[in-house]
Amino acid sequence: CAFGFQQRSGRALWQLGGHLRRLCTPTGARFVGDPKRTQGLERVSQPSWKGIENKDRPTYTVDPDEDFPDECDALVIGGGAIGCSVAYWLSRQVNCNVVVVERDPAYTRAASPLSCGGIRQQFSEPENIQMSLFGSQFLRNIKENLAVFDLDPPDICYAPHGYLVLADEANAETLRTNNQAQRKLGAKVDLMSPEKMKETWPWLNVSDIALGAFGTENEGWFDPYLFLQALKRKAVSQNVKFVVGELLDFEFSMQRYVKGDLSFEQERLKAALVKCPDNLVRNINFGVVVNAAGPWAGHVAHLAGVGDFAGKVKLPVEPRLRYVYHLHCKEDLFPTPLLNCPSGAYLRAEGPGGHYIAGLRQSVFVVSLPPHAAKKAAAATPGIDAPFIQDVASGLHLRRDGFQGDFVTYVNPPPPLPVDQLSESAVPDEPECNGVDLEPDYDWFDKQVWPRLAHRVPCMEAVKVRNAWAGFYDYNTFDQNLVIGRHPFHENLIFCNGSSGHGIQHAVAIGRAVSELVLFRQYKTIDLSRMSFERLQTATRIRETGII
Amino acid sequence: LTLQLHSMLLSVLRRVASRRCYSSSRLRLEELLPQRPGQSQDKPQVPDKLFTGRIAKWVGAPRVTEGWDMTKEHRGDLMRAMLIGLTTKSRHSYDDKIIRKRYQWIKQVQAFDTVLVEKFGVEVAAADRLVRLGCRVAFSNSPNDWLGVSETGALPALPSRSLPSLAIEAIDARDALLMSDSVDWLERLRSLQFLRLRRCPFVDDHLLARLAARCKTLKLLEISDCPGITWEGVASLWRLKNLRRLVLSENCHLLSQPEGLALVPTQLESLVPGLFVEGVDDLLALSVPRAAPEADSESVYSAELAP
């Protein structure tokens, strides 16, 4: 009937047939709205309107494909642990179309499989502690949570040994405060004196340690690649579409907002332009997009205009190189907890047999003077007049960071080259990272990691490096903590980036939080509103104190 | 079709026979009828119904004391069916609902209940929960006097309130449904000495790690035929400083990790003073010289451990 006829879309009208089908456009388009109409024609990635200079942005030719999902409800950029977790939670709670775009299905450079895979509850921020506790509970019941019908239940080789965080006199009080906060939230962490630690672990050198915190439960390490596989398999079984492609750009549409007499136009993220392995560019229209690109999240945010027309504040996430060394020592110390030393070195045993995994967590240390001390000794502490102090003899570097009394310091052993031959950009402490190369540096081990290790565990002096690998941290240069939430300008762009080494243990909780944001527009379980994008705009740092 | 005819014939004959004959003649009729193909004359040992609606009956009957036998095979099938039931998306099948409900019930029993503790005291409340999960418990005032679900499936008579002398000393969890949440109960038992985990399908590394962290009074521990554990879980037992005997037997899956087999028992013995690990001698390829176990006559339950 006529009433139903008018309501049908272009494709349905075409299928009804008729002689007018012969009289179609030159490109052979079949119905109004057929993407074949514009096939082969150049499509400008953004329409030209005042406000955006689209001369700088490249234009792409879009080719449609029947098997390719050209529209979805939620698009997840990045198929790592966090991306798969977001897809899993979204598809678990509601029956919607979720598409995950991952450019490297073998995960050769992704942060997830190259991490050490540890989970700990010893943080100083309550949100991090809660996320870790939920992650630990999820991993304990992983056979129930991520099992797929007709396949073997997932096994992530979880080793339930705890973390031991060591603090010297300066950090002992912070450790005590953190311990109280952790216990209040239900984490089981015991404070141990040096004598108790010496009695429990006789091979540990605790002569310069004032306090240690040992996590008795809910801590351990697992195989992150198996975890990623399990998440991805479960997401696929819940009808999530995984697409292999690289995100090239976003498409925008002008959205007009009207309130009474006032109206304004704003760019709205409409679609993503993805380059597929067959070198054709396709677009995916989405309702909401989740940035789970890990170390390259800053680039994805830049494509969306963050830092450009969508606000001056950029997403401060960049890849940082971290080396992990597989050591062999004749002395067998299995089972060890995962040791975290104040110098930044960490060590754990990889099964019995004298194999260990070690690395340096962070090269840069942040020291802050407590406000009452800064006020007392106002004349003695460096203020805005402080230059970048470098003591070449001892290798100490000190500079002021911001106006809150923060200082950035690190110990840099004297470089082999004379000072005047050093280039300005060379920072020997932080390994050079271009976001692509993943070659471990064995010299760096000898100079930076080994002395600290030999000091902490004396029998490690005769250690040999069996293997090493390098991985990227999705490093948040602002405060090394998660950035999660919607963007203030693009309301359909959700961030979950910048975990800076804690992504794999918080992946489950982050996925659930993002799914709650998408479905309910608020956090239902763990309140992560403090870690929103706004804190980057107001320059409020949420830094972990006393914990690396 | 022949089966249906037979059953129809049987029902007709029964109706005919019941009017005139006594029950003994009914039996004779059944014996006279030709047997159905695939059915032996003897009654099968395996019960037809897996569970009859009361968890006590399902766990308790039939009870076999020792050894591997056919009557326990169905439990593995039941667990597999449970896992399949948990992983299927369809929630509209009655079997799935039963299995899911049963799993939730098991989890509920393990959860720590403060109301029960307030009412009966922690020892008696723990005994009640453990017995419902299929364990047998022995109290300190009467050692070797095991209280568990009887063959008929009846719950045992537990004391109605807790007394200072009443403390659970030993737990025998054979084919029990202990999960890692049940350690919440075990940590509050002030004088728990003996724990045997045999053929427990839900015992995994998390439970062992929790045991190591919380139950410091444990002296005798047996883990046999628990498919969920690995050497990492066994290694986490180094924290039990009072452990005298650790028995690992019939854990065939641990054979697949030879490096753990060679190193973990000896390292445990060096880390925990006074510990002797049993059950691994025949598995060790290299004969590592080990000290003979001290004659342990302290505990009444050391004789209970498997040789």
Side-chain angles (χ1 to χ4, degrees), chain A residues 140 147 161 217 332 334, chain B residues 84 87 210 214 232 238 267:
Chain A
R140 214 180 309 136
H161 311 293
E217 283 180 39
D332 194 2
F334 180 79
Chain B
I84 288 172
T87 57
R210 276 196 175 179
R214 298 191 196 179
E232 298 276 2
W238 68 274
Q267 282 188 17

Side-chain angles (χ1 to χ4, degrees), chain A residues 18 29 37 57 66 143 187 318 409 417 425 510:
Chain A
R37 261 182 157 205
R57 285 201 184 244
E66 273 175 15
K143 286 196 175 11
E318 63 179 37
T409 177
L417 291 171
S425 58
I510 292 172

Side-chain angles (χ1 to χ4, degrees), chain A residues 139-141 143-144 147-149 153 158-161 188 200-201 214 216-218 238 332 334-335 351-353, chain B residues 83-84 86-89 103 107 180 204-206 209-210 213-214 232 235-236 238-239 259-260 263-264 267 271:
Chain A
L139 292 179
R140 214 180 309 136
N141 300 320
K143 286 196 175 11
E144 184 189 340
V148 177
F149 177 66
Y158 185 87
H161 311 293
K188 305 248 183 346
T200 323
W201 299 284
F214 179 51
T216 48
E217 283 180 39
N218 302 329
Q238 289 177 170
D332 194 2
F334 180 79
Chain B
L83 203 59
I84 288 172
L86 289 168
T87 57
T88 45
K89 268 192 99 164
Y103 192 75
K107 284 209 124 166
S180 51
D204 55 0
D205 292 341
H206 296 283
R210 276 196 175 179
R214 298 191 196 179
E232 298 276 2
S236 62
W238 68 274
R239 288 195 246 170
E259 70 275 358
L263 293 166
V264 172
Q267 282 188 17
L271 284 168

Side-chain angles (χ1 to χ4, degrees), chain B residues 7 22 32 38 45 58 70 91 112 125 131 145 155 180 182 190 202-203 221 247 255 259 266 270 279 286:
Chain B
S7 56
Y22 296 98
L32 288 172
Q45 292 284 336
W58 168 52
M70 290 284 290
R91 300 225 159 95
F112 187 72
V131 147
D145 191 10
L155 291 170
S180 51
S182 57
R190 58 175 189 270
F202 298 119
V203 161
L221 179 61
V247 180
L255 278 177
E259 70 275 358
T266 40
S270 62
L286 307 162

Side-chain angles (χ1 to χ4, degrees), chain A residues 377-397:
Chain A
T381 54
I384 51 175
D385 56 341
F388 198 120
I389 304 166
Q390 286 175 343
D391 189 355
V392 179
S394 63
L396 179 71
H397 297 244

Side-chain angles (χ1 to χ4, degrees), chain A residues 138-193:
Chain A
F138 188 89
L139 292 179
R140 214 180 309 136
N141 300 320
I142 195 169
K143 286 196 175 11
E144 184 189 340
N145 292 326
L146 295 185
V148 177
F149 177 66
D150 219 17
L151 294 174
D152 286 334
D155 177 29
I156 51 172
C157 304
Y158 185 87
H161 311 293
Y163 269 67
L164 179 66
V165 174
L166 302 170
D168 46 11
E169 280 91 20
N171 294 328
E173 206 46 54
T174 328
L175 201 66
R176 242 181 263 274
T177 329
N178 292 345
N179 185 254
Q180 279 170 15
Q182 287 150 19
R183 278 172 178 269
K184 214 163 68 170
L185 289 165
K188 305 248 183 346
V189 184
D190 286 342
L191 284 175
M192 300 174 92
S193 63

